[in-house]
Amino acid sequence: MPKAKKRRNSDETEAPSKRAANCGPNEHEAAPRNEEDGVVDKREPVYLYKDPDVSTQKTSGLYKPPTFEELQNLKEAEMLFQSNLLKLQVTELLAEIRPKKKPSIDAFLCLLRSVLLSTRPTDPVNLCDAMTSLPRHIQYPLRLNNSPGLKGKFHFVPPQTVKVIGSYLLQSLAKPELNVDVSIEIPQECLQAKDHLNYRYFHKRALYLCHIAAVLKKEKELLTSLKFSYMNSNPLLPIIVLTPILNGKVSKYTVQLYPFIADEMFKVTKLAPDRNNIRDTSAGDGQENPPTPYYNNTLLQDMDSYQRHLHDIFSASQECAAFADAVMLFKVWLRQRGFYKGYGCFNGFLISMLLVYLLHHRKVHKLMTSYHILRITLEHLASNDWTVKGNTLATHDKVPLEKFHAAFEVVFVGSSGYHNLCGDMSSTTYHRVQHEARAALRLLEKESTESFEALFMTKMPFVQCFDAICHIAPVSILAASDDASQQDRAVPAAVRKLCGIAGKGLGGRVANLSIKLQPCKQWLVSKAPPDPNDDPLTLGMLLTDRAFTELELGPPADSTEASTFRSFWGDVSELRRFQDGSINEAVVWESSCDAECRGIIKRIMLHLLSRHFGVSTSDVTFTMAQFDQVLSKPNYKGGGDSPGMYSTGEEMSRRVLQTFEDLNKQLRSLDQLPLSVVSVVGTSPVFRHTEVFPPVPWDGRYRSHFLAALVSEDNSQLQRLCPNPDHSSPPFISPLNVVCQLESSGKWPDEVEAIQQIKAAFYVKMSELLGRECSLISSPTFSHLDVLKDGFVFRIKVVHPWEVALRKSTVKKQKSDGKQAVLEMERDLIMLPMLCSCLLSIHQEFPVFSIGVRLCKRWLYCQLFSNHIRDEVIELIVSDLFRSSSPYEPPSAPAIVLLRFLNKMNSFDWNSITDIARRLLPQEDEEANSELSSHFPAPPTVIQSRIKLLSDKAYTLACSQLSQADQSDVDFKQIFRPPLQDYDVLIHLNKKHNPQAVCALDTSSDVPTSATRWKAFTKLPVVDFDPVRIFVQELEKTFSEFALFFYDSYGGDYIAVAWRPNLLAAHSFKASHANCRSLLSASRSQQVAVDLNSILDDFKVMGSGLVKAVEVLSDSKSP
C-alpha cells in the first residue's frame, strides 16, 4: 500500500481516530464525493492510524468537523425517526416525487396569459339569451335547469388578472399528478351587485368560461386537449382543464383555469351561513326562506380570494423551510387512501391551510423537519374532531363557530371569517381521515421497517379498506328533498341523510362508515356535461366484532324513546320479554347458519333504504359474501340429525370439534391402559377451522349405486369396508388426524423399532377398550388407530417425546436417507399441534379467519396447485394478513380476505414464510428455528412465478367485479377457473371414479352425494380413498423428469401437464436415462430423444378406468 508523502501531526490525527471508532469494517476508504459537499473527490486511501510517514492533513475535506446542519440531522434521526432507514426513505421519496423545473412550461404559461388578456370583449346581452347563444362548438357546463328569478345581462371582458397559483408556484407539486393552477379574475364590469342571488353569479361564471374556452379552442398549436371539469366535483364550479404542447410533444403537465372575483364584489355579511340567497317565489306571504349555507359557501369559495390563501401559504413556507416537503408527504399519504379527489375531499389545499393554522398557533415550529411536521399534524387530526369543535384562521370571530356547526358537518373557517374551507366535506369523510391518522400514528410508533411502505407506498383501494360495501345506483333515487335551501344539492343532502340513518341503524356494528369519493370527471368543451346524479353511490362499512349479532335491543316499552325506536325500525320492531324480566323494544334478525349471520348487515341496510328512502332491492348491490358460493355443496341435502343445506361448512366444523371433545373425554377415561392419556390434540385442518370442505358424518350405509363397489359386510374377517375398482368410487371420507400423548415413563426403550412396536401394542389395547367400554368401532394398524365416532373417522397416532430425537440421531449416525421421513414425523407430531393451537387463537380473535383461509385455499387449489403447496403454508400466509394487516384494519369479511391475499401474492417474498412461522411458532433453540423452512417449505420457483401471475390477474378482475354497482350478471366464479392455454396436455378423468366430484367448482346436478343420517355401525367405511390423488402421485413418481403435473384436489375433472424445458433435446445414449426415450433414426452417434407418444400412452395405461381421454393442447412440443 503506498504511503503519503507528508507526515500527519498528532493533534490533527486525534479527531479522525475518534471518528474511526464508529466506522464499519469497510469505511477506511474515502468514497468519492462532490466538491460542493466539501469533500475531495479522490480515491486515494486514507489511513486511520498514526504513521510517521503520513502527511499532515488539513482540517477541511474528509476531516472537516461536522457542520451544525449535519449534527442537527444526526440528532433528528436519533430522536424523531425510529431508524436511519426511515429517514433515508423519506428523503428519497421527496426526491422522487418532486418534479424537475422545466422552462418550457413557464414559457407556455406566459404565452397563455398573453392570449387570455388579449381577447376581445362582447356586447351586453340578456343572461337567458347568452345561455342559448354560446360560442360555436361550446356546450354550457352547468346543469341548472330552473333557476328562480334569473335576471340581468352578461358581456364578456378580458380577465382582470391571470396568475399562477397553487402547488406549482409554492414548489409543493408532487408526482404523478402535475397540475398547474392558474387563476382568472373576472372583471367587476361583468357582474352586478345582486348577482349573488338565485344562481346568477354561477351562470355568469359558466358563460365567462365558455368564452375563454372558445378563445383557447382556436389555439390548436398550443393545446392537445381542452376540457371542462368541476372543481372538487362541485357541480356549481366548472373549470377548464387543458393539456399543453411543449417542444412539439404532449406535456405531462395539466393546466387548470380557475375563475374568481374580487373580495369586495359582494358584501360578505350577506353570505353568512345563516343568510338566504335563493328567493323562492312560490313561498306564501309571511313565510321566510330558509338559510342557504352551502350555496353561500360555494360563492365565497370564489370570493375568499385565492390571492389571500396564496399569501398565507407562501408566508408559512417562507417561515418554515420544511413546509413544502411536509405538504408533499401529506399529498402522497392522502392519494394512497383516496381522499385527494372528489366532492368534499381532503386535498393538498386543506393540508396546506391546516399547516398554516398549526404554525400560527405555535403547534409546529419553523425549524421542524417535514417528518416531524407530518407526525404533529397527524396527531392533531387524530385528536381533534372538527365535527364538534372546528378550527378558524380568522383573528376575530366575525361569525361565531356555533353558526358554522349548525349549518355544516365539518368546520374549518378561513382567514376571512366567513368561508368554511370544509363546507362540502361530510362527517363520514372526516372521521375516516381521523381513523387513518390514528392508524398512521400507530405505524410510526412501531419499530418496523414496513412502516414507510405501509404509509406512503401502499395504495389502498376503497374495496379493500372496508368489510362491507353497499352500492346504490343511481344516487339520484335517494334525492327526495323539497327544501328550497337544498335545490342545488338535493343529492348531497340525501347522501348525508343516508349516512346518518345508516350510522344510527348499524350502531355498534360498524367502526367506520364512509362514502367513496368519486374522481372529478372531465369532458370535451364541445360535449354536454355528464349528470353526476347518474353515478352510483358507494358506502363502505368497517365492521366490529358485534356486526353479526342477531339482537338489536331497544328501549323499555314504557319509556319515551320507545315510540322513536318503533318509528325508526318500522314493522321489524317488536316487544320482547327477556330472562331478567324486562320488556323492551327489540329487532331480531334470525339466522339459521353462519352464512346468514354474515348477511345481517345487508338485511339491515336493505330495510333502512326501503323504509326511509323507498329504495327497492333491485337498486342496491351489497358486496361482502360474493365468493362464499365456492365453499358450498349445492347438491348436498341434509337429513337425520342435521337437516338443511350444507351452507358454507362452518356448522360441520363445529360438529367435528364437538365429537372430538367427546372422544377426548373417552380416551382420557381409559383407565386400563398401561399409561394414561395426558393430552389429545387434533392436527387436521378441520380442527383449526381451515378445512376447505369440512367433512360430513357418514350415515353407516352407502346409496344403492355404491353397494356394488363394496365387499359384503357379512365377511367377518374384515374390520372395514373396501372399494371395488370395477364400480364407482364411494364418497370420500377423510380421516381426522389426532395426536395422543401418554404420560411419561422411564420404561420406554431406546430403539426406534422397539418404540414403534410398543405404540402398535397401545393401538391394539386402545381399540379393545374403546370397543368394550365406549361401544366404538375401531381398526388398529401398525402406524395408527382409526376410530369411528358419530360418523367421523379419527386417526389416532401416539407420540413419544423422544422418538423424533432418536430418529434424528439414528439418521445422523448411519448417514441414511431418512431425514425427510424424520422431518415429516416431527411436523405431524410436534409442529402441527403447535400450529393448530396458534391458529385456533387467531380464529377466536378473528372469526372470519376460518372462511377467509378456506377461500384462499380454494382459489389456489382451483388454479391446480393442490400438489405443489402445503395447507400449512397457505394458513401461515393468511394468518399474517390478520397479525400484520397494516395499513389496513384486520378484515371482517371473507371477500376482503381473499382480495388482500391475492394482492399479497402478487409481490410476496416466499422466503418470508420462515419468518412468519418463527413469529407464530417461536422455538427455543436455533436449530429448531432453522428447520422451520423444512417443515413449511415454499413451492418451487416456477410455481411461485405462476402464482404471482395468476394472482395479479385474479386480483384485478375481482376488484373490478366487486366495484361494479350492478352485479346481476357478474360471474364471481370466474377468478377461480384456471387458464389452460399455458399447459401442454390435459388428462380428462372419469367423474364416477372421482370421490371429490361433489366439491367441484362447477358441479352438475347428477353428482352423487351422501346423506348425513347415521345409525349404529358394524364396520369402518372406506377411508382416505382418493384415486385421483393416488394417480397424480404415481405420475409424479414416474414422469417427474419430463413434466410437471397440476390438478385440483377438490373435484377437478382433469390433470394438466406442462412439459419441462428442453424436453425434446437429443442426448447421448445412457443406460440410466433410457426411460421413455427412443433412438433417433437419422442419428449416427446413438443419440436418443424423449418419445412423447410413449408417455401419452403410459398416461392412459396407468390411469386405466380413471382416465377418460388425453388431450394434447400445445403443438410446439408435440411429437
Side-chain angles (χ1 to χ4, degrees):
M1 185 179 293
K3 296 183 178 180
K5 296 180 180 180
K6 296 183 180 180
R7 297 184 57 183
R8 181 193 310 156
N9 59 41
S10 59
D11 295 338
E12 292 176 339
T13 59
E14 182 178 357
S17 299
K18 292 181 179 180
R19 190 178 302 171
N22 295 324
C23 291
N26 298 323
E27 296 186 7
H28 62 280
E29 295 184 3
R33 299 283 299 277
N34 298 327
E35 294 181 0
E36 297 177 358
D37 298 332
V39 180
V40 179
D41 187 9
K42 296 181 179 180
R43 293 185 179 270
E44 297 180 359
V46 178
Y47 302 97
L48 301 182
Y49 54 86
K50 189 173 181 180
D51 193 312
D53 295 331
V54 177
S55 62
T56 302
Q57 300 287 339
K58 298 181 180 180
T59 58
S60 61
L62 181 63
Y63 296 97
K64 182 180 179 180
T67 63
F68 173 78
E69 182 180 358
E70 292 174 341
L71 291 175
Q72 185 74 9
N73 290 336
L74 290 173
K75 186 176 181 180
E76 289 171 356
E78 180 181 0
M79 297 180 61
L80 301 180
F81 295 87
Q82 296 292 346
S83 65
N84 286 331
L85 177 61
L86 182 58
K87 176 178 173 59
L88 293 173
Q89 289 171 325
V90 170
T91 304
E92 184 65 23
L93 174 64
L94 289 172
E96 185 70 22
I97 64 176
R98 182 179 287 108
K100 296 179 180 179
K101 191 73 173 179
K102 292 187 176 181
S104 56
I105 186 65
D106 295 332
F108 172 82
L109 293 173
C110 293
L111 185 58
L112 176 66
R113 179 177 180 275
S114 63
V115 169
L116 295 178
L117 293 178
S118 61
T119 54
R120 295 180 180 180
T122 62
D123 297 330
V125 295
N126 290 329
L127 188 55
C128 293
D129 295 337
M131 294 169 58
T132 57
S133 58
L134 296 173
R136 189 178 180 183
H137 301 304
I138 302 296
Q139 290 283 342
Y140 196 57
L142 287 186
R143 298 187 63 90
L144 294 176
N145 298 324
N146 298 319
S147 300
L150 191 59
K151 302 177 181 179
K153 295 186 176 183
F154 172 78
H155 71 287
F156 177 79
V157 178
Q160 188 77 22
T161 60
V162 178
K163 296 181 179 180
V164 179
I165 58 174
S167 302
Y168 180 78
L169 185 64
L170 298 169
Q171 298 183 357
S172 59
L173 196 63
K175 295 179 182 179
E177 298 179 3
L178 303 178
N179 298 326
V180 181
D181 300 332
V182 177
S183 65
I184 302 174
E185 183 177 358
I186 303 176
Q188 294 189 11
E189 51 263 38
C190 295
L191 304 172
Q192 296 173 319
K194 293 187 177 181
D195 280 349
H196 64 284
L197 298 174
N198 299 335
Y199 300 97
R200 282 160 56 177
Y201 165 73
F202 296 107
H203 283 291
K204 290 186 176 182
R205 182 185 187 276
L207 289 170
Y208 196 87
L209 276 182
C210 288
H211 284 272
I212 293 292
V215 172
L216 295 176
K217 194 173 181 63
K218 300 176 183 178
E219 304 294 334
K220 297 182 179 180
E221 297 181 355
L222 297 179
L223 312 174
T224 59
S225 68
L226 185 64
K227 298 179 180 180
F228 283 130
S229 183
Y230 289 129
M231 180 179 176
N232 295 331
S233 297
N234 191 326
L236 292 180
L237 299 176
I239 60 174
I240 292 179
V241 180
L242 54 92
T243 304
I245 297 177
L246 304 179
N247 299 328
K249 299 180 181 180
V250 179
S251 175
K252 295 181 180 180
Y253 284 85
T254 300
V255 179
Q256 301 181 147
L257 306 183
Y258 293 86
F260 77 100
I261 55 179
D263 300 353
E264 63 275 5
M265 185 63 224
F266 305 121
K267 291 184 179 181
V268 292
T269 55
K270 295 182 179 181
L271 300 174
D274 57 348
R275 300 294 295 270
N276 175 274
N277 286 289
I278 301 177
R279 305 293 190 254
D280 187 3
T281 56
S282 62
D285 296 337
Q287 183 178 358
E288 294 185 0
N289 290 309
T292 54
Y294 292 97
Y295 174 92
N296 302 347
N297 199 70
T298 304
L299 204 155
L300 280 169
Q301 194 164 341
D302 277 2
M303 271 188 60
D304 194 10
S305 174
Y306 295 112
Q307 304 302 322
R308 179 189 293 116
H309 296 153
L310 183 65
H311 178 269
D312 294 340
I313 298 174
F314 181 77
S315 300
S317 64
Q318 293 298 308
E319 180 182 357
C320 178
F323 184 92
D325 289 348
V327 172
M328 293 170 66
L329 287 178
F330 258 109
K331 285 183 178 180
V332 175
W333 184 75
L334 291 169
R335 284 173 183 167
Q336 298 290 55
R337 283 150 182 79
F339 299 137
Y340 199 72
K341 289 184 177 181
Y343 186 80
C345 62
F346 204 105
N347 54 19
F349 169 72
L350 271 180
I351 279 296
S352 300
M353 298 306 295
L354 176 57
L355 295 185
V356 171
Y357 171 83
L358 296 177
L359 275 169
H360 286 180
H361 288 76
R362 299 293 186 268
K363 295 182 179 180
V364 169
H365 195 271
K366 61 182 180 180
L367 296 180
M368 288 181 177
T369 63
S370 58
Y371 174 79
H372 199 180
I373 296 175
L374 174 73
R375 291 201 60 158
I376 290 180
T377 309
L378 288 173
E379 290 175 358
H380 175 83
L381 288 172
S383 58
N384 291 270
D385 192 351
W386 295 358
T387 64
V388 178
K389 183 179 180 181
N391 295 337
T392 178
L393 284 167
T395 54
H396 302 286
D397 292 338
K398 301 176 183 179
V399 178
L401 282 179
E402 290 76 14
K403 288 189 176 181
F404 282 102
H405 280 291
F408 302 100
E409 295 188 35
V410 185
V411 176
F412 183 16
V413 182
S415 55
S416 67
Y418 289 90
H419 178 212
N420 181 15
L421 304 179
C422 296
D424 294 335
M425 186 180 297
S426 65
S427 59
T428 57
T429 299
Y430 181 76
H431 287 150
R432 188 185 169 203
V433 172
Q434 271 197 311
H435 176 82
E436 293 296 337
R438 296 189 187 103
L441 288 175
R442 290 195 296 269
L443 273 175
L444 293 175
E445 290 171 359
K446 292 181 180 179
E447 295 186 5
S448 173
T449 57
E450 300 177 356
S451 299
F452 174 82
E453 182 176 355
L455 278 177
F456 301 110
M457 305 304 293
T458 303
K459 191 173 182 63
M460 300 174 61
F462 190 87
V463 71
Q464 277 199 68
C465 294
F466 294 94
D467 301 308
I469 296 177
C470 180
H471 301 281
I472 304 173
V475 65
S476 55
I477 63 177
L478 295 174
S481 176
D482 298 328
D483 190 352
S485 65
Q486 309 292 350
Q487 289 180 20
D488 61 307
R489 52 185 320 278
V491 169
V495 169
R496 296 188 180 186
K497 178 184 176 182
L498 170 64
C499 292
I501 290 176
K504 180 179 179 180
L506 295 174
R509 299 175 188 268
V510 294
N512 187 261
L513 196 70
S514 182
I515 297 293
K516 182 181 179 180
L517 302 179
Q518 299 294 338
C520 304
K521 292 185 176 180
Q522 298 181 6
W523 66 97
L524 295 175
V525 296
S526 58
K527 303 292 184 180
D531 189 356
N533 297 336
D534 292 338
D535 295 335
L537 171 71
T538 302
L539 179 67
M541 289 158 276
L542 192 64
L543 305 183
T544 65
D545 53 359
R546 291 189 57 248
F548 308 132
T549 55
E550 297 182 353
L551 176 65
E552 186 71 32
L553 183 63
D558 55 353
S559 66
T560 57
E561 295 86 2
S563 60
T564 304
F565 186 86
R566 287 193 297 270
S567 175
F568 180 81
W569 287 105
D571 55 359
V572 297
S573 176
E574 57 185 6
L575 284 177
R576 289 216 169 203
R577 182 186 295 274
F578 295 91
Q579 292 182 352
D580 59 355
S582 61
I583 301 176
N584 290 60
E585 292 285 345
V587 178
V588 179
W589 307 96
E590 295 181 353
S591 55
S592 59
C593 59
D594 288 10
E596 290 187 6
C597 279
R598 288 191 292 273
I600 288 178
I601 298 294
K602 177 181 179 180
R603 294 161 63 187
I604 292 175
M605 284 300 302
L606 291 177
H607 174 75
L608 294 177
L609 287 170
S610 174
R611 176 167 180 77
H612 295 278
F613 295 92
V615 178
S616 64
T617 305
S618 60
D619 295 324
V620 182
T621 300
F622 208 85
T623 298
M624 184 177 177
Q626 272 72 1
F627 301 119
D628 289 10
Q629 57 184 310
V630 302
L631 298 178
S632 65
K633 293 182 179 180
N635 293 324
Y636 174 83
K637 303 294 183 182
D641 294 341
S642 298
M645 302 298 290
Y646 184 83
S647 183
T648 51
E650 289 99 328
E651 296 77 21
M652 289 300 175
S653 292
R654 287 195 292 270
R655 184 170 179 180
V656 169
L657 292 179
Q658 181 180 358
T659 305
F660 172 68
E661 288 298 324
D662 296 338
L663 178 62
N664 186 5
K665 295 177 182 178
Q666 291 173 331
L667 288 173
R668 289 173 178 268
S669 65
L670 300 179
D671 299 332
Q672 298 183 24
L673 282 176
L675 296 176
S676 60
V677 177
V678 176
S679 67
V680 181
V681 181
T683 59
S684 291
V686 68
F687 293 110
R688 46 188 185 266
H689 298 275
T690 60
E691 177 61 54
V692 178
F693 290 100
V696 296
W698 183 54
D699 64 351
R701 59 186 177 86
Y702 287 105
R703 296 185 183 272
S704 58
H705 53 275
F706 292 133
L707 292 177
L710 306 174
V711 177
S712 173
E713 295 186 24
D714 296 334
N715 191 343
S716 59
Q717 296 178 354
L718 296 176
Q719 293 181 311
R720 63 174 74 225
L721 302 174
C722 299
N724 190 326
D726 296 331
H727 298 274
S728 300
S729 296
F732 182 74
I733 297 179
S734 174
L736 307 178
N737 295 321
V738 175
V739 172
C740 178
Q741 185 173 356
L742 305 177
E743 64 178 337
S744 59
S745 172
K747 297 182 179 180
W748 283 93
D750 295 334
E751 296 181 358
V752 174
E753 290 297 330
I755 293 176
Q756 193 64 32
Q757 295 289 344
I758 292 180
K759 288 167 61 176
F762 268 104
Y763 296 144
V764 174
K765 187 65 175 178
M766 280 184 181
S767 176
E768 177 187 344
L769 294 176
L770 288 173
R772 185 172 65 242
E773 298 181 7
C774 305
S775 301
L776 294 179
I777 300 175
S778 59
S779 174
T781 67
F782 188 74
S783 59
H784 59 266
L785 170 67
D786 284 345
V787 179
L788 180 63
K789 180 174 176 58
D790 295 347
F792 300 105
V793 177
F794 296 89
R795 179 159 291 176
I796 301 174
K797 294 183 179 181
V798 173
V799 57
H800 179 254
W802 300 109
E803 183 179 5
V804 174
L806 287 174
R807 287 183 178 270
K808 284 184 177 181
S809 177
T810 303
V811 170
K812 188 175 182 180
K813 289 180 180 179
Q814 299 178 356
K815 297 182 180 181
S816 59
D817 298 332
K819 184 177 180 180
Q820 185 61 32
V822 175
L823 286 175
E824 291 179 0
M825 173 180 285
E826 184 178 11
R827 178 176 58 242
D828 295 340
L829 301 182
I830 298 178
M831 301 305 300
L832 286 185
M834 295 173 57
L835 179 66
C836 189
S837 176
C838 294
L839 295 183
L840 272 177
S841 65
I842 295 178
H843 169 73
Q844 292 173 358
E845 184 178 359
F846 308 104
V848 78
F849 169 77
S850 166
I851 191 170
V853 72
R854 291 168 59 206
L855 272 177
C856 298
K857 284 185 179 182
R858 178 66 159 160
W859 182 83
L860 279 171
Y861 295 157
C862 283
Q863 305 308 311
L864 313 180
F865 297 124
S866 296
N867 54 324
H868 294 286
I869 184 169
R870 293 188 60 85
D871 274 6
E872 300 81 19
V873 173
I874 306 173
E875 294 165 5
L876 287 173
I877 296 174
V878 178
S879 70
D880 199 51
L881 295 176
F882 290 84
R883 293 169 56 87
S884 304
S885 60
S886 300
Y888 305 101
E889 295 293 329
S892 297
I896 306 305
V897 179
L898 179 61
L899 270 186
R900 296 185 187 177
F901 174 79
L902 294 175
N903 190 27
K904 189 182 186 71
M905 288 294 95
N906 187 25
S907 57
F908 184 64
D909 180 11
W910 289 92
N911 295 324
S912 64
I913 292 178
T914 305
D915 298 330
I916 298 174
R918 188 177 294 113
R919 291 194 297 267
L920 195 64
L921 308 169
Q923 303 297 308
E924 296 180 357
D925 53 8
E926 191 63 30
E927 181 181 357
N929 278 325
S930 63
E931 291 179 352
L932 287 176
S933 59
S934 301
H935 294 312
F936 309 107
T941 305
V942 64
I943 304 300
Q944 297 177 18
S945 302
R946 181 72 175 168
I947 292 176
K948 179 179 180 180
L949 175 65
L950 296 179
S951 62
D952 184 27
K953 295 181 178 179
Y955 172 75
T956 304
L957 177 59
C959 285
S960 175
Q961 290 179 334
L962 295 177
S963 300
Q964 293 182 26
D966 184 9
Q967 300 177 0
S968 56
D969 298 329
V970 176
D971 182 10
F972 288 100
K973 290 184 178 181
Q974 186 175 354
I975 67 169
F976 292 87
R977 297 188 180 97
L980 302 178
Q981 64 272 15
D982 295 329
Y983 297 105
D984 300 305
V985 177
L986 285 184
I987 304 175
H988 296 276
L989 305 176
N990 193 338
K991 187 178 296 185
K992 73 175 185 178
H993 288 303
N994 187 356
Q996 295 275 29
V998 68
C999 303
L1001 184 66
D1002 297 303
T1003 182
S1004 58
S1005 58
D1006 60 343
V1007 175
T1009 58
S1010 62
T1012 55
R1013 183 187 304 173
W1014 54 276
K1015 59 182 180 180
F1017 309 106
T1018 58
K1019 291 184 183 296
L1020 282 173
V1022 180
V1023 179
D1024 202 22
F1025 179 68
D1026 187 353
V1028 178
R1029 184 189 64 207
I1030 298 171
F1031 180 50
V1032 171
Q1033 291 173 352
E1034 289 297 322
L1035 290 175
E1036 290 180 329
K1037 182 179 179 180
T1038 308
F1039 303 105
S1040 59
E1041 62 174 313
F1042 307 113
L1044 292 174
F1045 298 91
F1046 302 83
Y1047 86 113
D1048 179 9
S1049 59
Y1050 291 100
D1053 56 357
Y1054 52 81
I1055 300 171
V1057 183
W1059 301 123
R1060 291 189 179 275
N1062 301 323
L1063 179 67
L1064 299 180
H1067 299 282
S1068 300
F1069 173 78
K1070 292 182 180 180
S1072 59
H1073 293 79
N1075 184 29
C1076 299
R1077 291 176 174 88
S1078 61
L1079 286 171
L1080 296 177
S1081 58
S1083 176
R1084 298 181 180 178
S1085 57
Q1086 293 187 345
Q1087 288 191 331
V1088 295
V1090 175
D1091 187 353
L1092 293 185
N1093 283 327
S1094 174
I1095 295 178
L1096 297 178
D1097 291 338
D1098 288 344
F1099 290 167
K1100 298 177 184 179
V1101 173
M1102 291 179 63
S1104 178
L1106 177 62
V1107 175
K1108 181 190 298 184
V1110 176
E1111 178 186 3
V1112 179
L1113 299 179
S1114 175
D1115 294 333
S1116 60
K1117 294 178 182 178
S1118 61

